[in-house]
Amino acid sequence: MTVESPEKLAEALESVGYLADDGIATAGFLALRLGRPLFCEGEPGTGKTSLALGLAEALGLPLIRLQCHEGIDAAQALYEWDFPRQLLHLRALEAAGDGGLDVETAEQSLYTERFLLSRPLLKALQTAPCVLLVDEIDRADDEFEAFLLQLLDENAVTIPEFGEVRAEHPPLVVLTSNRTREVHDALKRRCLYHWLEHPDLGREIEILRRKIPDLGEELAAQVATAVHRLRAMELLKPPGVAESLDWAQALLALGMSALDAAAGARTLGSVLKYSEDLDRVRAKLDKLLA
């Protein structure tokens, strides 16, 4: 799908349920037009991961996701060799050759695409065009960031035993970070950058109504307003849009059509995930929902 402007991209995203503001639509459009990775940073729950999912659906492209974590390495992210199949292959060669085996020929036959297990990064280069989501890059370490640089620079990786794998069509790369640590400048320089804020009140109400069609306008406004007030409090884990949706769905599941102090107390665990936050908010629930 060819996108002609940020406005057209916003329309395409809206058609798949992602409501993008001007900043997000412009950042996504420039990433597409310039062929640059898009680095999305912001608080948890601001829609960073959802943006990548929405872009893939809106553009009609496959989504390939790499979930980062502490200690992630090339074998988990890029490729590894299928050792059991390689061993079976060697035994088959030995049997076929009646014990006479040319070592060099056998070794060359082991490191072919037949035995290469593609992990998300390599799969993205082989599948492109696609959307590659590198989720929560801040959870990985410095070495893994450095490992990503060739892929971001050249849309290619080098496998020592196999050679270079280069994408015929560069993937649209979206990297996300919750800023649990600072990502190095070398990685950021290769990307377009966008900081995602929580949606404003009107857009959050619209998101709730769009995602939960049975949700009434009044209840949607009450939930969104309460969540915005929660975000203004000094909480250990301010709620994101996902928690707004959980709260609204919990209220609907209990057959409630309005959010009052009693309903809020019963369902507060849908939106807050720390006991300290629950205690702090329960003490001010009447005022919060007034």
Side-chain angles (χ1 to χ4, degrees), residues 37 74 78-79 121-122 125 132 143-160 163-167 170-171 173 186-187 190:
L78 183 59
Y79 76 97
L121 296 182
L122 181 59
L125 297 177
L132 170 61
E143 290 76 11
F144 186 74
E145 278 188 45
F147 163 73
L148 281 177
L149 298 184
Q150 184 194 6
L151 185 143
L152 297 180
D153 276 338
E154 305 173 15
N155 294 298
V157 292
T158 301
I159 300 172
E164 184 184 75
V165 178
R166 182 175 295 274
V173 182
L187 184 65
R190 289 160 169 82

Side-chain angles (χ1 to χ4, degrees), residues 2 27 31 88 93 99 131 146 153 170 209 229 234 236 240 245-246 255 261:
T2 302
L88 288 173
L93 288 178
V131 175
D153 276 338
R209 296 293 308 280
R229 290 173 179 170
E234 294 182 1
L236 294 175
L245 292 165
D246 287 346

Side-chain angles (χ1 to χ4, degrees), residues 131-206:
V131 175
L132 170 61
L133 169 60
V134 181
D135 212 11
E136 297 184 322
I137 183 63
D138 53 318
R139 292 182 179 272
D141 54 26
D142 297 349
E143 290 76 11
F144 186 74
E145 278 188 45
F147 163 73
L148 281 177
L149 298 184
Q150 184 194 6
L151 185 143
L152 297 180
D153 276 338
E154 305 173 15
N155 294 298
V157 292
T158 301
I159 300 172
E161 309 91 339
F162 184 76
E164 184 184 75
V165 178
R166 182 175 295 274
E168 185 176 347
H169 303 284
L172 171 59
V173 182
V174 179
L175 302 100
T176 74
S177 168
N178 292 328
R179 210 172 190 179
T180 58
R181 69 170 179 86
E182 287 295 333
V183 174
H184 285 208
D185 289 343
L187 184 65
K188 286 187 174 181
R189 279 199 307 269
R190 289 160 169 82
C191 306
L192 300 175
Y193 179 85
H194 188 72
W195 174 268
L196 277 79
E197 301 280 359
H198 288 291
D200 60 34
L201 181 60
R203 193 157 68 92
E204 189 146 7
I205 292 171
E206 192 175 353

Side-chain angles (χ1 to χ4, degrees), residues 7-163:
E7 292 75 21
K8 292 294 185 184
L9 180 59
E11 290 175 8
L13 287 169
E14 184 175 356
S15 71
V16 297
Y18 188 94
L19 302 180
D21 60 24
D22 290 342
I24 293 173
T26 300
F29 171 76
L30 291 175
L32 282 167
R33 180 58 60 90
L34 302 177
R36 297 281 299 281
L38 177 59
F39 187 92
C40 295
E41 203 167 37
E43 296 296 327
T46 51
K48 303 180 294 295
T49 299
S50 297
L51 173 59
L53 304 178
L55 284 168
E57 189 174 354
L59 299 170
L61 296 175
L63 174 77
I64 297 174
R65 178 174 182 169
L66 173 64
Q67 180 64 51
C68 296
H69 56 81
E70 186 177 352
I72 190 171
D73 59 18
Q76 296 166 304
L78 183 59
Y79 76 97
E80 60 183 332
W81 293 106
D82 191 342
F83 177 73
R85 288 189 64 202
Q86 287 176 320
L87 188 58
L88 288 173
H89 177 68
L90 276 179
R91 289 174 177 171
L93 288 178
E94 289 176 347
D98 294 325
L101 186 64
D102 183 80
V103 175
E104 185 175 347
T105 301
E107 184 176 344
Q108 289 176 353
S109 71
L110 289 175
Y111 296 106
T112 63
E113 194 165 356
R114 175 184 176 187
F115 302 109
L116 186 62
L117 298 176
S118 299
R119 300 311 183 204
L121 296 182
L122 181 59
K123 188 176 180 181
L125 297 177
Q126 296 168 325
T127 305
C130 64
V131 175
L132 170 61
L133 169 60
V134 181
D135 212 11
E136 297 184 322
I137 183 63
D138 53 318
R139 292 182 179 272
D141 54 26
D142 297 349
E143 290 76 11
F144 186 74
E145 278 188 45
F147 163 73
L148 281 177
L149 298 184
Q150 184 194 6
L151 185 143
L152 297 180
D153 276 338
E154 305 173 15
N155 294 298
V157 292
T158 301
I159 300 172
E161 309 91 339
F162 184 76

